């Protein structure tokens, strides 16, 4: 059954002289180098790291208190569990679920690909069934989350009413190459190694990893760091340069802003549903 078959070992069995384990392993290493090189170029070209560290130094000067090591570790754990593992920053739960399906599907797919290529690519080795099963499930989760996002959740589709087939090549390179990679990987496996699907799978994978400098791939490395820094600046009192929220019950504040007791008191007037009148369709 295809779901328990290692497609890379099958590829080696069909063409052992061409698709050797060494060739497949070299391709994986090349893709890793593309990601590292593309990310470093992105950091240099956009000066992301320079901005990040300058912003951190500026926040330290505005801080009203110093954070202890235990508090910093707590913020780091909170960042990992909230922003990284569960993507709690998404208020739109459909967008959040789509993101989690895509993210975990991608991780499982990539990890099991590496395991099967570096450990079981030789047709003479027997691959434990768990790895190809997880490989197929990862590709399926990635495809399901990605297609859901592409057809129904993208902000320009859901909120702005633009057609799903309106493509911006550079902006959409990341999601489209992800979808192509997972789709053609599944079709390649289901079709019992049909050559055209394998070629398209390799092409999509190469575009995904070699196109880091033109896609949003690199943002996944900055997102956790930015989320952690944001938690720090609000905990140490620098508040990203924003003013402190005054005590709204303070008479001096009432005198300075006479409308506060009326609109923010115990019994504010009913001003309608406002932005809650219609559920948000964006992120």
């Amino acid at each position: 059954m295809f779901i328990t078959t290692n497609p890379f070992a099958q590829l080696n069995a069909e063409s052992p002289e061409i698709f050797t384990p060494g060739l497949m392993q070299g391709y994986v290493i090349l893709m890793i180098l593309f990601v590292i090189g593309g990310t470093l170029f992105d950091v240099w070209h956009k000066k992301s790291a320079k901005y990040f560290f300058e912003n951190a130094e500026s926040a330290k000067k505005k801080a009203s208190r110093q954070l202890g090591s235990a508090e910093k570790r707590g913020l780091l754990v909170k960042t990992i569990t909230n922003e990284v593992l569960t993507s709690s920053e998404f208020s739109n739960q459909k967008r959040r679920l789509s993101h989690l399906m895509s993210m975990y599907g991608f991780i499982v797919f990539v990890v099991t690909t590496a395991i099967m290529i570096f450990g079981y690519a030789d047709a003479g080795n027997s691959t434990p069934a768990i790895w190809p099963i997880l490989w197929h499930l990862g590709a399926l989760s990635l495809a399901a989350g990605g297609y859901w996002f592409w057809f129904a959740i993208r902000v320009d589709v859901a909120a702005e009413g633009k057609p799903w087939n309106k493509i911006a090549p550079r902006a959409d390179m990341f999601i489209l190459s992800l979808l192509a990679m997972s789709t053609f990987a599944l079709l390649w496996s289901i079709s019992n190694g049909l050559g055209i699907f394998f070629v398209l799978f390799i092409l999509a994978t190469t575009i995904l990893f070699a196109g880091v400098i033109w896609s949003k791939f690199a943002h996944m490395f900055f997102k956790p760091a930015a989320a952690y820094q944001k938690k720090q600046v609000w905990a140490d009192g620098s508040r990203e340069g924003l003013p402190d929220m005054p005590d709204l019950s303070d008479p001096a504040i009432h005198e300075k802003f006479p409308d506060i007791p009326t609109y923010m008191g115990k019994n504010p007037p009913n001003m309608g549903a406002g932005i809650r009148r219609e559920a948000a369709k964006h992120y």
Side-chain angles (χ1 to χ4, degrees):
M1 189 176 180
F2 74 88
I3 197 171
T4 58
T5 301
N6 180 350
F8 304 103
Q10 185 179 17
L11 187 66
N12 174 254
E14 293 172 353
S15 303
E17 300 85 4
I18 301 176
F19 297 107
T20 63
L23 177 67
M24 289 185 269
Q25 291 165 11
Y27 175 80
V28 172
I29 293 172
L30 180 61
M31 294 303 104
I32 293 173
L33 293 177
F34 272 138
V35 172
I36 295 173
T39 302
L40 291 177
F41 179 82
D42 185 83
V43 170
W44 171 80
H45 178 66
K46 296 179 180 177
K47 297 181 173 57
S48 305
K50 180 180 179 182
Y51 169 79
F52 183 82
F53 288 114
E54 286 181 352
N55 195 41
E57 288 299 318
S58 175
K60 284 182 182 179
K61 297 176 182 178
K62 300 174 183 176
S64 59
R65 56 186 291 266
Q66 294 294 322
L67 301 181
S69 56
E71 193 171 2
K72 288 182 179 179
R73 285 196 298 271
L75 293 175
L76 179 61
V77 170
K78 190 175 181 181
T79 301
I80 293 173
T81 55
N82 291 357
E83 277 77 8
V84 178
L85 298 180
T86 60
S87 301
S88 61
E89 75 276 14
F90 289 113
S91 58
N92 185 316
Q93 294 306 308
K94 292 180 180 179
R95 175 69 182 96
R96 182 182 182 185
L97 181 57
S98 167
H99 176 81
L100 290 174
M101 290 175 65
S102 302
M103 180 183 73
Y104 283 112
F106 175 77
I107 292 172
V108 171
F109 179 79
V110 169
V111 170
T112 52
T113 296
I115 290 173
M116 290 194 293
I117 287 179
F118 282 90
Y120 307 100
D122 192 328
N125 294 338
S126 178
T127 306
I130 184 63
W131 300 125
I133 289 174
L134 288 175
W135 185 83
H136 286 90
L137 291 177
L140 185 61
S141 177
L142 172 56
Y147 281 115
W148 187 15
F149 169 76
W150 181 260
F151 287 109
I153 302 177
R154 280 192 307 155
V155 66
D156 55 351
V157 171
E160 299 174 14
K162 293 183 180 179
W164 64 267
N165 56 355
K166 185 177 178 61
I167 298 173
R170 288 184 62 177
D172 295 328
M173 178 188 294
F174 179 67
I175 180 62
L176 289 178
S177 56
L178 270 178
L179 288 175
M181 180 183 71
S182 59
T183 301
F184 292 126
L186 289 170
L187 291 174
W188 171 48
S189 178
I190 294 171
S191 65
N192 198 29
L194 189 61
I196 184 62
F197 291 135
F198 172 71
V199 171
L200 292 172
F201 165 57
I202 293 299
L203 178 62
T205 303
T206 304
I207 291 174
L208 173 65
F209 292 110
V212 169
I213 58 176
W214 296 292
S215 76
K216 58 180 290 186
F217 197 107
H219 95 287
M220 68 177 63
F221 303 107
F222 292 106
K223 180 184 172 184
Y228 174 66
Q229 186 187 55
K230 185 173 183 179
K231 282 182 170 56
Q232 272 196 314
V233 298
W234 282 88
D236 64 17
S238 55
R239 300 170 57 88
E240 298 181 317
L242 297 174
D244 290 332
M245 176 64 73
D247 180 5
L248 298 182
S249 63
D250 186 352
I253 297 297
H254 291 182
E255 184 177 352
K256 186 175 182 180
F257 305 103
D259 56 340
I260 285 181
T262 302
Y263 294 103
M264 303 185 70
K266 293 182 179 180
N267 297 300
N270 183 3
M271 293 182 286
I275 63 173
R276 297 187 301 276
R277 186 180 306 279
E278 182 180 352
K281 296 180 180 178
H282 49 75
Y283 297 161

